[in-house]
Amino acid sequence: MDDYRRIADRIAADIGGGRLRPGQRLPPQRAFARRHGIAPSTAGRVYSELVRRGLVVGEVGRGTFVRAAAPDGQPGHALTEAAGAPLVNLELNYPAVPGQAELLAPALASLLRPDALGQALRPAAAAGTPVAREAIAALLARSGLRTGPERILFTGNARQAIAATLASLVRPGGRVGVERLTYPLVKEIAARLGLVLVPLATDAEGLVPDAVAAAHRGTPLSALYLQPALHNPTSRTTGAERLRRLADTVHRLGTPVVEDRIWAFLQPGGTPPLAALAPDLVHLVDSLSKRVAPGLTVGFTVVPRGRVEAVARAVRSGGWSAGGLALEAAVRWLGDGTVDRLVTAKQRDARRRQRLVAEKLAGFAVRSDPAAYFAWWELPAPWRADTFTAAAREHGIAVTPGTAFSVDPSRTPDAVRLGLGSEPEPVLARALATLAGVARDGAAAGTG
């Protein structure tokens, strides 16, 4: 029977004709079934068909809402971009600064010699090279972590370092404690490895130690994953005293930790890593891609002494080793000061972009840090994350809905994350002004 499709066609026509407005809530399925004289199961199929067509979105515990995107999937009238133009990317972060390529080029000249290039093109081991380990150890020492080079392993990028470390620590079905809002790719990694993510309470300072202990008492946690420095997406940074309490808690419980420091380089003189307080339990993960360029995909992890071989096995089995050419380039850029110069430039760049956020989104509830390359925007009522994201796309701008970061599907924040690092500053300024207008207009009209 195609009856449910015909009903779905009528609802689609109402959406296309504006009789059902973006953000409008559809009636509960039982009420819809009574209104249309159909079985509840048929109503369920209608709603599923509308979701499949991308016309509505269902949210656990909240209902089914009309999407803000146009039914044909094409962008609407853009304030900053012509229809059909590439989206302004405030979704991903690829920070680059003027003159970056000119800074990077000289150190690569030595790699053009046949002998050097031949060596660089050989496969790299998980342990990299002695020179690479020394270079990363020196980099980490400047952030407050003094570690033996023998504890450092390399991967193709930070995501692979996270995956390899978790794979070495947690068996399928094991529980991993995470902040309630976490890096979206950690959710994907956990799904692929068969791990169960346990959302833990946070406050203004980050992960709450008592929440870790309480979760562990119920069913033991196999590991924790956390971002204490410039947490993605909220930009929150955990202070020194809270870090000490977390270190005490994981020592008492014996729980290993994966500490993600991917954005910490933007905070000169920031708090030392948790790995400095609990080196026997904490696996620190970082990368050079944000410091240097997204095309330089070299990740690394600092591993407790007794776990080096276990993590190295996971790197090898996953095929996650760093490329030799990228590793050699990284060594040269670290050695000649290029990375330090780029870091300084990006620290200044991020602060300029945050000033644009403060100016263009003044009066809105935006949480961020002056050093961060992203901002967490808690939307004004009645906007919801999904419909605002779709409305932004209609105006040629891509943002990330808060639902992408939420570990608990029943607690979806009405917020979006703005990535500030990918677009030139004038484009970013226009996009922020456009989004502010979208938010105000939608709130005034009562749609969202």
Side-chain angles (χ1 to χ4, degrees):
M1 296 289 291
D2 289 334
D3 289 349
Y4 78 94
R5 289 195 179 92
R6 288 196 290 271
I7 297 172
D9 289 341
R10 293 201 297 270
I11 302 301
D14 287 342
I15 294 172
R19 291 179 291 280
L20 287 174
R21 299 167 60 195
Q24 186 170 338
R25 182 177 178 178
L26 298 185
Q29 290 183 21
R30 288 188 177 278
F32 183 91
R34 288 195 298 271
R35 181 178 303 174
H36 290 270
I38 57 178
S41 60
T42 303
R45 296 182 75 183
V46 172
Y47 278 41
S48 296
E49 176 65 14
L50 293 171
V51 170
R52 188 190 67 79
R53 297 184 192 183
L55 297 172
V56 302
V57 59
E59 297 184 7
V60 177
R62 303 180 71 175
T64 302
F65 299 85
V66 177
R67 279 189 179 274
D72 61 1
Q74 297 299 316
H77 298 291
L79 297 182
T80 59
E81 297 289 329
L87 289 174
V88 175
N89 183 2
L90 305 190
E91 186 173 21
L92 302 176
N93 260 324
Y94 300 127
V97 292
Q100 180 166 296
E102 289 78 5
L103 277 174
L104 294 171
L108 298 183
S110 61
L111 273 177
L112 299 180
R113 297 197 322 267
D115 58 334
L117 186 59
Q119 181 66 27
L121 292 176
R122 297 179 63 183
T129 65
V131 175
R133 292 196 297 274
E134 291 285 353
I136 294 298
L139 177 71
L140 292 169
R142 295 198 290 276
S143 68
L145 179 63
R146 298 192 178 276
T147 183
E150 71 281 357
R151 294 174 54 202
I152 297 171
L153 299 172
F154 294 92
T155 58
N157 53 46
R159 297 186 296 275
Q160 293 175 352
I162 294 168
T165 306
L166 286 174
S168 75
L169 287 169
V170 188
R171 294 179 177 178
R175 288 161 38 97
V176 179
V178 295
E179 293 134 324
R180 281 178 176 167
L181 298 174
T182 195
Y183 179 38
L185 285 179
V186 168
K187 297 197 290 184
E188 294 186 16
I189 290 168
R192 289 172 182 166
L193 296 177
L195 313 183
V196 178
L197 295 185
V198 180
L200 302 175
T202 59
D203 59 17
E205 282 202 77
L207 192 61
V208 177
D210 288 346
V212 177
H216 191 77
R217 278 196 299 272
T219 303
L221 298 172
S222 299
L224 295 176
Y225 166 84
L226 68 159
Q227 304 168 323
L230 293 180
H231 170 262
N232 182 10
T234 65
S235 303
R236 178 190 60 236
T237 293
T238 303
E241 178 56 34
R242 174 63 62 85
L243 285 175
R244 282 193 288 272
R245 288 182 55 202
L246 282 170
D248 290 343
T249 299
V250 298
H251 272 133
R252 186 173 71 254
L253 301 176
T255 304
V257 179
V258 180
E259 179 183 14
D260 187 339
R261 295 273 295 181
I262 188 71
W263 291 108
F265 75 94
L266 291 170
Q267 289 183 316
T271 55
L274 182 63
L277 302 174
D280 54 331
L281 285 170
V282 178
H283 304 64
L284 183 146
V285 169
D286 204 340
S287 128
L288 293 179
S289 63
K290 304 300 185 185
R291 288 177 174 88
V292 181
L296 179 70
T297 55
V298 174
F300 53 91
T301 180
V302 182
V303 180
R305 291 188 185 280
R307 301 212 69 255
V308 173
E309 181 51 35
V311 178
R313 282 198 303 270
V315 172
R316 292 191 294 268
S317 65
W320 292 322
S321 298
L325 185 60
L327 204 57
E328 286 297 324
V331 167
R332 284 161 171 75
W333 287 324
L334 286 164
D336 70 2
T338 297
V339 171
D340 289 339
R341 287 190 287 273
L342 285 173
V343 164
T344 299
K346 290 183 180 183
Q347 289 168 348
R348 294 170 180 164
D349 182 59
R351 289 181 178 275
R352 287 196 304 271
R353 291 164 184 268
Q354 286 291 345
R355 287 195 288 270
L356 287 177
V357 172
E359 174 191 343
K360 303 299 183 183
L361 299 184
F364 291 104
V366 179
R367 298 192 320 182
S368 194
D369 185 287
Y373 263 120
F374 42 84
W376 182 245
W377 185 2
E378 296 172 344
L379 299 167
W383 281 111
R384 295 175 301 107
D386 175 78
T387 50
F388 186 83
T389 300
R393 185 168 289 266
E394 286 186 340
H395 290 78
I397 303 167
V399 301
T400 308
T403 49
F405 301 90
S406 181
V407 180
D408 183 350
S410 66
R411 301 184 63 175
T412 54
D414 293 323
V416 294
R417 193 202 69 170
L418 306 176
L420 310 177
S422 295
E423 299 289 354
E425 287 183 56
V427 175
L428 173 63
R430 291 195 298 271
L432 292 172
T434 297
L435 292 176
V438 172
R440 291 191 185 99
D441 291 349
T447 62

